[in-house]
Amino acid sequence: MSSIPPIAGLEITQDLAVQYRTWKIQRMGWAAMALIILAALAGLFGSGPLARTAVVDDQQLVRLEYNRFGRYQDESLLKLELTPKATQTHRVTVKVDRNYWTSHAIEQIAPEPMTSSAGFDGFLYTFEVDSQNAPAAIIVRLRPEYLGSLDGHIRVNDQGSLTFEQFIFP
Amino acid sequence: METVLRALFIYLVLLLVFRLAGRRTLMQMTSFDFVLLLIISETTQNAILGNDYSITTGILAIVTLVGTDILLSYWKHRSAKVERWLDGLPLIIVQNGIPLKPLMDRARVNEEDVLAAARQGPGLERMEQIKYAVLEVGGGISVIPK
């Protein structure tokens, strides 16, 4: 801005070069904020189309619906959909690895398991199944007590096992 | 430890966001700006304190916030460069009655704002009575009559 004559009489620290750089950085900051909002809408920070996903175990016994991204101490939902293949007997066992389970506060398991026991490598739950050879669902509500990425392992009826990964934002 | 880190992080994020927003954002203190600030403070409160209602956490958060503020003000006082990046610099937007349009556009100030400041301050009626109008660091406009 050379068209502006030098400031006479006014004792002021004006630096147009710095001012223009500030404006440029501000514009970039606005773009970054817009990107953050769009990413959040898409579900990058939990809850959104990008976040919700599902995985099926190798024996096709169970389909797990979970959130790829979550937030610290925010509610996280695991939905286990048992296939008719898993409910052939009236009891279904679900084993969760210890590291995953102890990194969460377990709020609720629905339906309540008949029995639960602690093994050296994980927690074992037994659920009663009303109608055999029919699909059933188990819902777990938990709160992550860790930050970053963590693997979870679930084993159904000691046969079908699956692994899933979650990333928890602070 | 967590409280201190939370407070520190929120302080820096707020500093960054408000600096990026520019001095004309949230600085005009219309009643809506005021409500917006209240909502932001409410949101911030949860992020700093979480579910912890203890006095210890409250005191830790306050001490961290004020301490960081003191530290930064000290740093700004020592270094003009830090001050200009954290607070910005004043900007002359009217010179000898002529509005400097390109600068005003970038700073999101229009002639009405300048005239309003001219009426409120020195009680001027027209643009040509203004010798200088300066957009100050705080977002206000100060007017020097001819």
Side-chain angles (χ1 to χ4, degrees):
Chain A
M1 293 304 294
S2 52
S3 60
I4 298 166
I7 308 140
L10 193 61
E11 202 173 300
I12 194 169
T13 335
Q14 181 176 260
D15 189 333
L16 281 180
V18 167
Q19 190 60 63
Y20 272 98
R21 255 162 77 199
T22 309
W23 281 330
K24 206 173 164 188
I25 293 169
Q26 278 179 358
R27 297 299 194 274
M28 292 193 297
W30 299 351
M33 284 193 253
L35 284 180
I36 289 173
I37 293 170
L38 288 179
L41 284 176
L44 184 65
F45 304 109
S47 78
L50 265 182
R52 200 76 185 155
T53 184
V55 62
V56 180
D57 72 303
D58 46 5
Q59 304 288 318
Q60 317 269 307
L61 294 181
V62 66
R63 178 179 179 272
L64 171 71
E65 229 181 271
Y66 67 101
N67 275 335
R68 225 180 260 137
F69 307 108
R71 285 193 284 246
Y72 181 67
Q73 288 186 342
D74 193 15
E75 186 170 274
S76 162
L77 206 71
L78 297 182
K79 193 175 171 198
L80 285 155
E81 286 171 1
L82 301 166
T83 62
K85 208 175 150 192
T87 56
Q88 282 167 357
T89 59
H90 64 283
R91 273 178 198 182
V92 175
T93 64
V94 176
K95 187 180 213 170
V96 196
D97 76 291
R98 192 176 56 181
N99 189 26
Y100 183 80
W101 225 226
T102 50
S103 303
H104 288 82
I106 316 296
E107 301 262 292
Q108 191 193 17
I109 302 176
E112 293 247 332
M114 277 168 66
T115 65
S116 58
S117 58
F120 89 102
D121 58 345
F123 293 76
L124 187 72
Y125 296 96
T126 314
F127 295 92
E128 195 172 14
V129 177
D130 256 359
S131 41
Q132 273 130 53
N133 297 312
I138 299 165
I139 290 163
V140 184
R141 290 197 304 140
L142 11 83
R143 279 177 205 282
E145 298 280 357
Y146 66 99
L147 296 178
S149 183
L150 186 69
D151 277 346
H153 307 279
I154 287 177
R155 212 168 150 76
V156 173
N157 287 347
D158 222 10
Q159 294 167 29
S161 69
L162 58 84
T163 301
F164 60 102
E165 196 185 352
Q166 283 178 310
F167 188 89
I168 301 302
F169 288 96
Chain B
M1 188 191 87
E2 197 187 306
T3 312
V4 175
L5 293 181
R6 276 171 180 251
L8 205 61
F9 188 73
I10 292 295
Y11 183 99
L12 295 176
V13 168
L14 281 180
L15 184 71
L16 183 72
V17 168
F18 275 72
R19 191 72 184 94
L20 288 176
R23 53 189 141 188
R24 291 298 285 174
T25 315
L26 290 174
M27 299 282 179
Q28 299 172 68
M29 268 316 185
T30 60
S31 47
F32 184 72
D33 283 348
F34 183 64
V35 171
L36 208 56
L37 275 182
L38 284 181
I39 298 170
I40 291 172
S41 73
E42 195 84 358
T43 319
T44 309
Q45 181 201 334
N46 294 333
I48 293 178
L49 301 179
N51 291 324
D52 191 339
Y53 300 111
S54 66
I55 293 177
T56 312
T57 303
I59 292 173
L60 281 178
I62 293 167
V63 170
T64 308
L65 290 174
V66 176
T68 315
D69 211 43
I70 294 170
L71 213 66
L72 273 187
S73 68
Y74 192 69
W75 198 20
K76 282 192 281 198
H77 183 66
R78 295 284 294 269
S79 158
K81 205 172 173 183
V82 172
E83 179 157 33
R84 86 170 39 161
W85 282 113
L86 289 182
D87 287 346
L89 289 170
L91 177 70
I92 296 172
I93 49 178
V94 177
Q95 203 164 7
N96 292 322
I98 301 158
L100 306 174
K101 257 297 186 197
L103 294 180
M104 287 169 70
D105 285 343
R106 294 297 286 273
R108 285 171 286 153
V109 183
N110 54 34
E111 290 180 24
E112 294 305 315
D113 298 332
V114 177
L115 287 171
R119 288 193 295 270
Q120 283 166 358
L124 300 181
E125 294 157 0
R126 290 184 308 280
M127 189 64 88
E128 68 241 33
Q129 295 173 310
I130 299 174
K131 189 178 180 196
Y132 290 117
V134 179
L135 178 60
E136 300 290 354
V137 169
I141 300 167
S142 52
V143 176
I144 296 150
K146 271 186 181 164

